[in-house]
Amino acid sequence: MSQALDEIKIGGLGASRKRVEDNRFIRGKGNYTDDITLPGMLHMEILRSPLAHARISSIDTSKAWDIPGVHLVLTGEMMATRNLAWMPTLSYDTQAVLATDKVRFQGQEVACVIADDPYIAKDACEAIEVEYEPLPVIVNPEQAVAEGAPVIRDDKDSQRDNVIYDWEVGDAAGTERAFAQADVVSKLRLHYPRSHPSPIECCGSIADFNRATSKLTVYMTTQAPHIIRAAVALVAELPEHMIRIISPDIGGGFGNKVPVYPGYVCSILASILLERPVKWIEDKTGNLISTGFARDIYLDGEMALRRDGKILAVRMRCDADHGAFFSDAQPSKFKIGLLHSAFAAYDIPVAHLAARGTYSNKAPGGVAYRCSFRVTEAMFFQERMMQAAADDLGMDQAEFRRMNFVKDDDFPHRTPFGFLTDSGQYAKCLDVGLKAIGYEDFRREQAEARNRGRLLGLGISTMTEPLGAGNSREYDILGIKMFDSAELKVHMTGKAIIRTGARTQGQGHETTWAQIVSHELGIPAEDVVVEEGDTDTAPFGMGTYASRSTPVAGAAVAMVARKIRAKARRLAAHLLEVSEEDVEWELGRFYVRSAPDRGVTIQECAMAAYSNMPDGMEPGLENTAYYDPPNLTWPFAVYIATVEVDPSTGVWDVLKLVAVDDCGVRINPMIVEGQIMGGLTEAYAMANMQFITFDAEGNCVGSNYMDYLLPTAWETPGFELHSEVVTPCPHHPIGAKGIGECAAVGGPAAYVNAVMDALSGTGVRNIDMPLLPDRVWEAITYRRDVSGAPPVRSDD
Ligand code: MCN
Ligand code: CUM
């Protein structure tokens, strides 16, 4: 008789365990950067530029220095004496820490004040007198490449214009030939507007340099503490072992907390100069105006089609507006992230993509927002293009997708842009989604409603997305290979601590990593504590973004647990007085093959590791694993929305949204559902209400929550989630694929396609996001496309 433990009861794989971190979060006992107070701590505030592009003729800080309680006023000139006026970005560009020559976007950091409290520091910032000579402003790629455009980055000797890169991938000639064979060529141009992750907690840091020990400790809001440690060591030329980066609880990251920001650097230098802890906490406007902008890309594409619906080729061109500094965090081989993951779900013989990146007088953009390196833009364009192509062919939306899907037995599949997808059941997911939405019935209802003047629409978005960078052969950031790690220590009583190189920001790692240990070792999840985010204790890792934690760090957790199990087996053989080959494992217990009643628990093995190990065995039960995944993981998703559009106001309501996500084996189904719902909510916000735009002078419209809208429970629609399709990842030790970004990536197209479907027959081909009521109304009333980023509109 098996005495294996019940995996769900002990909180193993598949258990919808309540999130352990919520015990402190919902009690208000989280420990965020701003909760930390150190003895003798000073406070830093940043003076930002009011202008988008201007030469600095002078900065007079004398009045700020005179204010009682001010300890230091930092300017670019002072930073320059330490070689810190500029810093390298994660995309091999440079970014001003504090402006010296010019300001290049509204909200750029010009000076900092460090004072006894943040109020004094703020007042002192206002006392700094800066004289600016305004320069012409560029707010989009078209202006950036226009004749006579001012060169924004005249600080770089080699820069003669505003182009950052021209990059291409795919087979241009083959694509050309395929287009020559096409029966139908479908075209689409759209703009994915600037958006902002807008986590509840803004960015911040507390730098604490101790002259006596030479140790620099920095508490900061970072999704990748080890990368920051390396950056500080290399840029500030401090010894790496004397730098400790601690990322305490993070109040949401969503990509906003991947880059290195000037505020971090200034607080570090200030602490070194003053030999006191210096705290910087960004305010909401600072966060919305200067950090972490995503997207802002113009996408232009064509699809070559055979009359029967077969896709022959795809051509994409895009113009990305990066703002004043190219600071995307992305694998170094790729200039436009993984945009070329577009169309990976479809069997397309040949494709070509050309991308141009340009500077503008806007804050660094394209950075990251729940996207796995521009996958959001890739999948949005893909699914809008699929809808347009099906319409051009007069084909059913679902049928067109199904016919072009990569088939279940066609894996591994090489995409036309060179990715290798390895598993999926795309048609099955689509069937589940169509059934759940009541596809046939809705189409009938839609036709009947039309006759009565009501506009109903249905939008489908189906996609597979690459989550979990590395492998290290192809993926690195600034040359640092993308793998991850886990360290497991089992104490003598069988309790354990697991540490990884990832950093949770709300995703629930403290809950789910314990579940993986539980699955591998049979130690109840509640006996396993998870710790991340302290570079002095966590093993080296690349951090949490691109939904890489489960695919990479999570895999390392399973692998280190397996190492522990291998050693525990030797301990078990010793305790049971049999040879190792005669020992069998079942969850939580080793037993003698020929006498299954004779066994020892994993906890007994742990005790033996400290009290009764065999002669010659190294004591203790701990280990570390580094994991370099063979491939990315490729979850698949189907999102289908139905909407009703009010033609008299342009307001649209979601009637139903169905989500079918196949992310392989689910560690914690409840957490996975939470991730999907969060992503669908953010997708709804992007499609429906959010935009950050700029007027002709480069003033940022959207730097506060009156203009930049966050959806609350009140306006967010309900979602129906389906989990019945599970295609385990063939190379992940527990078969899991990433999920953290899927719904934010695939969601927007479902909503937009639904609204466009409601407008079918009116001649309107595209409305760019956000689909604000006035834009939808304009499209319906004037029967025309509405494009561009309001209020700077292409048709004005
Ligand atoms: N999970 C699971 N089973 C799977 C896959 C994942 O149970 N098959 C669980 C994981 O164990 C983890 C969570 O789901 O607890 C998300 O896992 P994963 O897909 O690996 O993503 P990461 O943990 O790497 O999180 C990063 C991802 C990104 S890149 C953004 S952006 C984003 C997102 O997560 N930011 C978030 N979701 C967020 N959720 C919250 N609450 N806050 C953020 O800042
Ligand atoms: Cu692209 S935002 Mo997440 O990868 O941190």
Side-chain angles (χ1 to χ4, degrees):
M1 261 280 283
S2 165
Q3 295 177 31
L5 298 172
D6 179 332
E7 178 154 2
I8 299 297
K9 276 201 187 131
I10 64 165
L13 219 57
S16 282
R17 254 188 115 199
K18 284 191 181 161
R19 302 191 345 152
V20 293
E21 43 268 85
D22 289 349
N23 275 332
R24 59 178 194 283
F25 293 157
I26 60 178
R27 287 180 170 88
K29 298 285 185 196
N31 192 31
Y32 301 93
T33 299
D34 201 16
D35 291 322
I36 296 165
T37 299
L38 300 178
M41 188 171 81
L42 300 171
H43 298 263
M44 184 182 102
E45 290 289 329
I46 295 175
L47 175 69
R48 297 178 182 282
S49 167
L51 300 176
H53 199 193
R55 203 158 290 288
I56 297 177
S57 36
S58 70
I59 302 182
D60 181 355
T61 59
S62 52
K63 290 196 179 116
W65 280 104
D66 287 344
I67 294 177
V70 169
H71 292 255
L72 181 66
V73 185
L74 278 178
T75 59
E77 207 179 319
M78 290 168 73
M79 300 299 284
T81 64
R82 297 270 172 154
N83 218 359
L84 285 175
W86 292 82
M87 62 180 181
T89 70
L90 296 174
S91 276
Y92 295 96
D93 194 8
T94 47
Q95 173 171 357
V97 178
L98 293 178
T100 46
D101 52 339
K102 288 202 303 193
V103 288
R104 293 174 171 82
F105 68 88
Q106 185 185 56
Q108 188 181 336
E109 300 79 359
V110 175
C112 295
V113 175
I114 295 89
D116 284 332
D117 67 43
Y119 311 101
I120 297 173
K122 199 127 210 145
D123 287 346
C125 280
E126 281 170 19
I128 298 172
E129 287 164 7
V130 187
E131 261 181 68
Y132 296 103
E133 290 165 37
L135 295 166
V137 169
I138 289 172
V139 293
N140 59 42
E142 206 180 315
Q143 294 173 346
V145 298
E147 258 311 286
V151 178
I152 295 171
R153 295 300 303 277
D154 51 359
D155 56 291
K156 301 207 292 186
D157 289 341
S158 56
Q159 192 75 38
R160 299 267 173 270
D161 54 24
N162 293 313
V163 176
I164 309 171
Y165 58 82
D166 265 307
W167 190 78
E168 61 175 322
V169 60
D171 175 358
T175 304
E176 196 67 49
R177 283 195 296 276
F179 269 83
Q181 309 291 318
D183 296 325
V184 177
V185 172
S186 202
K187 297 184 184 187
L188 187 69
R189 177 179 166 79
L190 51 83
H191 179 236
Y192 202 131
R194 237 172 209 244
S195 56
H196 196 283
S198 192
I200 299 288
E201 180 202 29
C202 299
C203 299
S205 54
I206 305 166
D208 181 15
F209 180 69
N210 183 328
R211 176 74 62 203
T213 60
S214 298
K215 183 130 186 172
L216 171 71
T217 305
V218 190
Y219 300 84
M220 62 190 285
T221 51
T222 176
Q223 298 177 219
H226 285 95
I227 304 300
I228 298 284
R229 184 180 67 184
V232 174
L234 297 172
V235 177
E237 293 179 359
L238 295 172
E240 197 172 354
H241 66 303
M242 286 293 153
I243 304 164
R244 179 181 187 186
I245 306 296
I246 301 175
S247 175
D249 284 335
I250 298 182
F254 304 106
N256 189 202
K257 290 162 182 168
V258 177
V260 181
Y261 295 119
Y264 299 150
V265 180
C266 293
S267 68
I268 290 172
L269 182 62
S271 178
I272 291 172
L273 294 174
L274 296 168
E275 297 183 21
R276 285 176 66 172
V278 174
K279 179 191 263 190
W280 165 62
I281 298 293
E282 186 181 57
D283 59 23
K284 206 74 217 179
T285 291
N287 182 258
L288 282 170
I289 206 170
S290 73
T291 64
F293 286 104
R295 335 288 191 225
D296 209 347
I297 185 170
Y298 294 80
L299 293 148
D300 220 331
E302 294 169 290
M303 194 177 252
L305 298 149
R306 215 164 57 195
R307 176 86 46 214
D308 67 358
K310 168 78 187 144
I311 303 171
L312 301 176
V314 173
R315 193 150 45 203
M316 285 171 76
R317 252 185 320 277
C318 50
D319 261 313
D321 181 342
H322 288 273
F325 309 107
F326 180 29
S327 67
D328 293 23
Q330 62 191 356
S332 61
K333 262 175 76 177
F334 309 111
K335 288 290 179 212
I336 185 99
L338 304 186
L339 192 73
H340 57 307
S341 62
F343 299 98
Y346 304 106
D347 185 11
I348 299 176
V350 62
H352 183 253
L353 181 157
R356 181 173 62 184
T358 47
Y359 290 118
S360 70
N361 292 117
K362 288 146 80 172
V367 174
Y369 170 20
R370 222 165 182 181
C371 59
S372 194
F373 318 120
R374 298 222 184 244
V375 172
T376 316
E377 292 97 306
M379 298 310 154
F380 182 72
F381 182 77
Q382 165 192 305
E383 287 308 299
R384 291 285 300 117
M385 182 83 245
M386 289 299 285
Q387 165 141 331
D391 283 348
D392 289 346
L393 288 166
M395 263 183 89
D396 175 74
Q397 287 294 333
E399 205 36 55
F400 178 57
R401 285 173 170 79
R402 189 194 319 274
M403 129 168 222
N404 285 290
F405 276 154
V406 176
K407 306 288 179 296
D408 299 2
D409 47 12
D410 283 348
F411 294 107
H413 169 80
R414 185 68 70 181
T415 78
F417 291 121
F419 289 98
L420 194 72
T421 57
D422 50 32
S423 56
Q425 303 175 68
Y426 302 168
K428 188 172 170 192
C429 286
L430 180 60
D431 288 343
V432 171
L434 294 175
K435 184 159 176 253
I437 204 86
Y439 190 61
E440 305 299 333
D441 289 347
F442 185 85
R443 287 294 185 208
R444 261 194 305 278
E445 217 181 295
Q446 183 181 24
E448 284 161 20
R450 237 339 135 81
N451 295 334
R452 283 180 277 114
R454 285 177 59 206
L455 298 179
L456 302 187
L458 181 146
I460 302 179
S461 175
T462 53
M463 56 118 209
T464 184
E465 91 175 286
L467 293 184
N471 57 78
S472 71
R473 288 186 318 287
E474 286 175 294
Y475 298 95
D476 70 84
I477 289 188
L478 293 179
I480 309 174
K481 302 280 189 188
M482 301 191 77
F483 53 81
D484 229 284
S485 61
E487 178 207 69
L488 179 58
K489 296 186 174 187
V490 183
H491 313 317
M492 70 176 78
T493 57
K495 317 289 179 190
I497 178 165
I498 180 101
R499 295 188 170 104
T500 83
R503 183 58 184 133
T504 190
Q505 315 129 39
Q507 293 90 345
H509 296 177
E510 289 174 52
T511 308
T512 45
W513 297 164
Q515 293 184 247
I516 298 175
V517 174
S518 196
H519 170 71
E520 295 293 337
L521 293 178
I523 297 176
E526 62 185 37
D527 289 351
V528 183
V529 67
V530 177
E531 196 185 276
E532 293 179 337
D534 181 343
T535 57
D536 265 10
T537 55
F540 181 88
M542 292 294 276
T544 289
Y545 42 86
S547 302
R548 61 189 300 283
S549 305
T550 301
V552 196
V557 172
M559 298 314 274
V560 73
R562 288 175 191 181
K563 288 187 184 180
I564 295 285
R565 195 167 71 206
K567 182 167 183 186
R569 177 186 295 275
R570 284 157 59 208
L571 286 157
H574 170 68
L575 294 175
L576 294 165
E577 297 177 322
V578 294
S579 79
E580 224 190 299
E581 294 73 54
D582 295 330
V583 172
E584 290 285 334
W585 167 255
E586 61 185 4
L587 193 64
R589 176 177 182 267
F590 292 101
Y591 61 89
V592 180
R593 184 175 308 124
S594 55
D597 283 349
R598 282 189 58 217
V600 286
T601 62
I602 186 77
Q603 288 81 3
E604 287 167 321
C605 294
M607 182 57 84
Y610 297 86
S611 61
N612 179 19
M613 54 279 184
D615 277 353
M617 181 190 272
E618 186 182 346
L621 197 54
E622 348 183 316
N623 220 318
T624 304
Y626 281 84
Y627 190 79
D628 185 0
N631 192 6
L632 299 155
T633 70
W634 295 89
F636 183 78
V638 173
Y639 304 116
I640 307 179
T642 53
V643 299
E644 170 149 18
V645 181
D646 180 345
S648 61
T649 61
V651 170
W652 53 279
D653 288 316
V654 176
L655 304 174
K656 189 169 178 177
L657 190 132
V658 166
V660 187
D661 279 275
D662 176 1
C663 59
V665 173
R666 294 183 177 199
I667 304 162
N668 182 320
M670 184 170 67
I671 284 184
V672 168
E673 293 199 341
Q675 287 294 312
I676 296 167
M677 289 190 196
L680 289 171
T681 305
E682 289 178 322
Y684 176 67
M686 286 182 259
N688 186 290
M689 60 180 76
Q690 276 177 345
F691 72 94
I692 287 198
T693 187
F694 294 80
D695 70 11
E697 278 77 54
N699 293 307
C700 176
V701 182
S703 59
N704 61 73
Y705 284 155
M706 295 293 284
D707 295 323
Y708 192 70
L709 306 180
L710 290 196
T712 64
W714 192 78
E715 49 271 288
T716 304
F719 309 122
E720 184 181 307
L721 307 187
H722 291 260
S723 57
E724 51 266 59
V725 190
V726 177
T727 316
C729 175
H731 58 76
H732 188 278
I734 56 168
K737 304 180 181 184
I739 187 65
E741 290 156 310
C742 297
V745 169
Y751 299 110
V752 175
N753 280 349
V755 174
M756 298 315 300
D757 184 57
L759 270 52
S760 64
T762 60
V764 179
R765 198 171 171 81
N766 183 49
I767 305 174
D768 276 340
M769 291 195 290
L771 272 59
L772 300 167
D774 63 316
R775 288 154 74 81
V776 177
W777 177 87
E778 180 185 330
I780 296 172
T781 307
Y782 299 105
R783 299 196 163 227
R784 66 177 183 214
D785 287 7
V786 181
S787 44
V792 189
R793 286 242 300 264
S794 57
D795 55 347
D796 280 349

